[in-house]
Amino acid sequence: MIVEIKHIVYLLASVSFIMGLKMLSNPKTARNGNLLAAAGMIGAIIAAIFFHKGEVSSLIYWLIFGAIALGTIVGWVTAKKVQMTKMPELVSLFNGMGGACAALIGLVEFHHYVGDATSMSVILAGMVIGSVSFSGSMIAWAKLNGTLRNAIRLPKYNILNTIILVGLFIYAAYIVYTGTANELHIYTLFAAAILYGILFVIPIGGADMPVVISLLNSFTGLAAAFGGFLYGNQVMLTGGILVGSAGTLLTLVMCKAMNRPLFNVIFGAFGETEAAGGGGPQGNVKEVGPSDLAVQMNYSKKILIVPGYGLAVAQAQHVIKELEQILEERGVEVAYAIHPVAGRMPGHMNVLLAESNVDYDKLKEMEDVNPEFPQTDIVLVVGANDVVNPAAKTDPTSPIYGMPILEVENAKNVVVNKRSMNAGYAGIQNELFFRDKTNMLFGDAKKVLTDLVSELKALD
Amino acid sequence: MNDFIQFFTENKEIIFIVILMIFVGVEVIGKVPAVLHTPLMSGANAIHGVVIVGAILLMLNIEPDNILGLSLGTIAVFLGTLNVVGGFVVTDRMLEMFKKKK
C-alpha cells in the first residue's frame, strides 16, 4: 500500500517538470521554475529509493547513497566554481553524463531481457542514443573549451557516418531478431555507438556547437524516455519525452536564429566553402586609441554596444557596465545590440551582461535594433565578428551567407575592439574592418575598456 | 499488422503519454525570448537527469552477486546525480543574474 504512494509522487514530479519548463520561458518566473523542477526531481529520486517493493540488501543501498553523495558534491562544486564564460561547455558535459547513465542502464539490463523483442529493442535504442549523446557531448565539450580547436573531417565523412548509422540500425535489429544472449554483441554495439557520436560531432564547426548541444540534449531526453518505457516508469517517460520534444524545438529555433537549416549544420555546409577562409577582403585598417575614442564618445548622442565572445573571454562585463554608466551621466543614450547567437550559445550575452546588472530593457534583440543603426553615432563592437559581417548579406560564396546579422555598417561610425586581425569563429575575414567609417581598437577587451573609462573620467 | 496492434494494445498507456508529452513539450517552449535560450537548454538538460531514477531502479532490482552490474550501476547513479545536481545548480546560477534587475 505505502509503496504505491510513489505513483502520486511521480505524477507530481511530472507536473513540476512541465510547470518548471513553462516558467523557465519567462524571465520573471524562470528561477522559481528551475527550483520547482529541482524539487520534483528530488521527490522522484526519494520515491524511487524508499517506496520500492521487495527486499534489497543494505550493500546496494550504501552503493546508491554513496554514489548520490559523491555525485552531489562533485556536481555542486563544479557548477558553483565554473566561470560564466565556461557555462556552455559545462552544460554539454552534464548532458554527456546523463547520456552515459542511460547507456550504462542498457548495458546492465540487457541480459535480463534476452528473448523479449520489445524490451530488447527499447534497451538497445536507449543505449545507442545515450552512447551517441555521451561521446558527442564530450567532443562538443572539448571543442568549446578549446582542447579540440579545429573541425576534423575524414575523407567522405558524410558517407562514412551514414554507413555507420545504418550499420548501427542493422546490427541492433540483428541482435533483437536473433535474440542472442551473447553479451559480446551489446558491447560491440556500445562501442560502435560511441564511435558514431564522435564522428557525428567532430566535423561540425565550433560556431554550430550550440545547436549540436541542444540536439544532443534532446537525444539524452529520448534515451531517458526509453529507460522509462523499459521500467514502466512514468516520471522517466514524461521527463524524457518532454526534454526530447522541447529540446528538438529549441534546436530548430536556434537554427532559425542563425538561418542555418539543421541539415546544413549536421552535414556541414561550412566544410564546403571553408577553403575560401584564408582569403577574403584585404586592405588597410584604421586604428583608434582610447583617448581619441573617449572624446568622440563624450560628444555622441547615441551609442550602441555589440557584445561578442571576446567580451566573455576578457571578463569585461563589469567594466562595460561602468562605461555605460559614465556615458549615461554625460547624457549619451547607450544600449546593447544582442545578436541571438553572439557568444557560444544563444542568450550567452544576456546572461553575461545580467551578471553585471545591466538593465534588462537595455538589451535589444536583433530585429528591434537593426532599424536604429542609421541614427546611431557610434557602434562599439566588443569581441564580436561573424555576427556583424556584411558578407552574410552580400557574398553568396561566404560560409555565413544568409545568416541574419546586426547591420552595424549602417551606423555613422563603427569601432571594433578585437585582440588582433585574426578571423572569427567561422574562420572568415570581415570586410567591415576595412571600411572607411570603421576604426579598430586593438587589445584585450577588459584592458581597452578600462582605459576608455579612465579617459572618459579625465575629460570631466 | 497483428504484431503491431498487439504491441499497441499492450503499451497503449505509454504510447498515450508519449504522444501527449510531445505536444506539451512543443507548447511549453512555444515563444521563449532569445534571452532565455541558454538557461532553458540548461534547465531541460537538468530535467533529463531523471534518467537517474532508472539507474536507481536498476540497482534495486539487480542480483547482489552481479559484480560487473553493481559497478556499472553505481557509476550510472553517480553520473545521473552529476547530471541532475550540476544541471540545476548551473541553471540557477545563470538565472540568479536575472533576478537582480529592477
Side-chain angles (χ1 to χ4, degrees):
Chain A
M1 187 14 210
I2 191 89
V3 296
E4 302 309 327
I5 292 176
K6 70 179 173 204
H7 298 297
I8 300 172
V9 182
Y10 287 163
L11 177 65
L12 292 175
S14 303
V15 172
S16 85
F17 294 163
I18 299 170
M19 295 284 295
L21 216 49
K22 178 83 202 161
M23 289 163 80
L24 268 169
S25 24
N26 183 326
K28 286 203 180 69
T29 53
R31 199 172 181 202
N32 289 333
N34 183 52
L35 295 178
L36 179 67
M41 184 70 75
I42 294 171
I45 292 172
I46 291 176
I49 298 176
F50 292 102
F51 299 137
H52 178 72
K53 216 183 290 185
E55 283 296 301
V56 178
S57 79
S58 60
L59 167 74
I60 286 179
Y61 278 115
W62 280 116
L63 286 175
I64 294 177
F65 290 134
I68 290 182
L70 191 63
T72 306
I73 295 167
V74 176
W76 193 287
V77 171
T78 321
K80 278 283 179 195
K81 275 195 160 173
V82 71
Q83 291 171 351
M84 280 314 290
T85 37
K86 305 272 181 200
M87 293 260 174
E89 58 228 52
L90 199 65
V91 171
S92 183
L93 187 70
F94 289 139
N95 180 47
M97 298 301 108
C101 179
L104 289 176
I105 292 175
L107 278 183
V108 177
E109 291 289 0
F110 175 72
H111 74 101
H112 292 141
Y113 293 90
V114 169
D116 174 355
T118 307
S119 297
M120 277 176 91
S121 319
V122 169
I123 288 175
L124 294 185
M127 191 203 69
V128 169
I129 297 172
S131 312
V132 171
S133 182
F134 166 64
S135 57
S137 297
M138 290 303 108
I139 298 294
W141 172 72
K143 283 197 176 224
L144 282 174
N145 75 12
T147 318
L148 208 62
R149 190 63 181 82
N150 297 316
I152 299 169
R153 296 191 175 88
L154 298 173
K156 307 262 182 253
Y157 64 94
N158 277 333
I159 299 170
L160 183 73
N161 284 2
T162 313
I163 291 173
I164 297 180
L165 184 62
V166 172
L168 279 174
F169 267 110
I170 295 175
Y171 194 30
Y174 165 80
I175 295 175
V176 172
Y177 184 74
T178 57
T180 174
N182 186 347
E183 300 214 353
L184 188 64
H185 285 296
I186 183 139
Y187 285 107
T188 313
L189 187 68
F190 172 66
I194 294 280
L195 179 71
Y196 178 73
I198 296 172
L199 294 177
F200 173 70
V201 178
I202 221 161
I204 301 176
D208 285 330
M209 265 322 117
V211 178
V212 174
I213 295 174
S214 178
L215 188 67
L216 293 174
N217 196 22
S218 60
F219 278 10
T220 313
L222 211 56
F226 276 113
F229 200 133
L230 178 70
Y231 292 115
N233 183 292
Q234 289 84 353
V235 74
M236 285 177 77
L237 204 57
T238 51
I241 294 288
L242 187 67
V243 174
S245 107
T248 308
L249 185 70
L250 192 58
T251 310
L252 294 173
V253 169
M254 288 182 191
C255 285
K256 205 167 159 233
M258 298 202 291
N259 199 21
R260 304 240 312 130
L262 189 56
F263 185 87
N264 285 4
V265 172
I266 294 172
F267 294 99
F270 268 164
E272 315 309 326
T273 41
E274 210 185 37
Q282 297 292 333
N284 294 322
V285 295
K286 287 192 295 179
E287 263 192 74
V288 65
S291 51
D292 291 341
L293 183 59
V295 176
Q296 215 183 342
M297 284 187 150
N298 204 24
Y299 297 105
S300 298
K301 282 200 186 67
K302 180 169 179 174
I303 295 177
L304 281 169
I305 299 172
V306 178
Y309 190 61
L311 180 85
V313 172
Q315 290 285 306
Q317 65 271 34
H318 294 289
V319 58
I320 209 158
K321 166 74 183 171
E322 213 180 317
L323 177 70
E324 175 209 312
Q325 274 171 331
I326 194 161
L327 285 170
E328 297 247 294
E329 281 165 21
R330 309 281 162 90
V332 185
E333 184 189 339
V334 185
Y336 298 83
I338 312 286
H339 191 278
V341 294
R344 286 292 180 275
M345 273 196 163
H348 193 180
M349 289 301 121
N350 307 72
V351 172
L352 197 70
L353 291 171
E355 190 189 336
S356 54
N357 289 330
V358 169
D359 198 350
Y360 189 67
D361 299 325
K362 285 199 175 294
L363 307 179
K364 302 198 174 178
E365 292 196 19
M366 184 174 59
E367 297 82 31
D368 305 326
V369 81
N370 267 343
E372 291 186 24
F373 283 116
Q375 296 95 47
T376 304
D377 297 308
I378 301 176
V379 171
L380 177 61
V381 180
V382 185
N385 189 345
D386 298 329
V387 297
V388 294
N389 192 341
K393 286 190 305 181
T394 55
D395 179 9
T397 63
S398 171
I400 59 166
Y401 181 69
M403 180 172 95
I405 56 159
L406 290 164
E407 293 158 1
V408 297
E409 75 273 17
N410 295 335
K412 290 171 195 155
N413 291 287
V414 181
V415 177
V416 181
N417 166 235
K418 268 169 96 1
R419 273 181 299 187
S420 65
M421 280 305 286
N422 286 344
Y425 217 56
I428 49 172
Q429 196 49 272
N430 193 336
E431 59 164 300
L432 177 76
F433 304 158
F434 305 101
R435 297 227 173 154
D436 276 347
K437 60 179 163 190
T438 306
N439 283 297
M440 303 301 290
L441 179 64
F442 288 116
D444 172 78
K446 191 171 186 175
K447 187 182 173 301
V448 167
L449 291 176
T450 311
D451 290 351
L452 191 59
V453 167
S454 42
E455 292 287 348
L456 271 167
K457 279 181 183 156
L459 278 175
D460 201 15
Chain B
M1 189 62 196
N2 274 339
D3 281 352
F4 175 74
I5 292 176
Q6 195 197 346
F7 171 80
F8 189 92
T9 319
E10 279 172 6
N11 300 292
K12 57 179 181 300
E13 282 87 4
I14 291 180
I15 295 170
F16 264 89
I17 293 179
V18 168
I19 301 294
L20 294 178
M21 283 314 282
I22 291 175
F23 283 94
V24 171
V26 171
E27 276 308 308
V28 158
I29 301 290
K31 38 184 188 297
V32 49
V35 199
L36 285 172
H37 281 170
T38 300
L40 188 68
M41 187 205 286
S42 179
N45 175 46
I47 289 176
H48 70 49
V50 73
V51 69
I52 189 191
V53 170
I56 291 170
L57 295 177
L58 178 159
M59 289 294 281
L60 293 174
N61 292 305
I62 206 168
E63 316 80 22
D65 57 345
N66 181 352
I67 303 295
L68 179 65
L70 274 177
S71 322
L72 293 180
T74 309
I75 297 173
V77 174
F78 170 70
L79 296 178
T81 315
L82 268 185
N83 186 179
V84 170
V85 176
F88 281 118
V89 174
V90 160
T91 314
D92 190 61
R93 269 194 64 192
M94 289 181 190
L95 294 169
E96 190 179 28
M97 298 165 206
F98 287 95
K99 208 194 66 176
K100 283 180 270 176
K101 72 174 204 294
K102 295 137 239 167

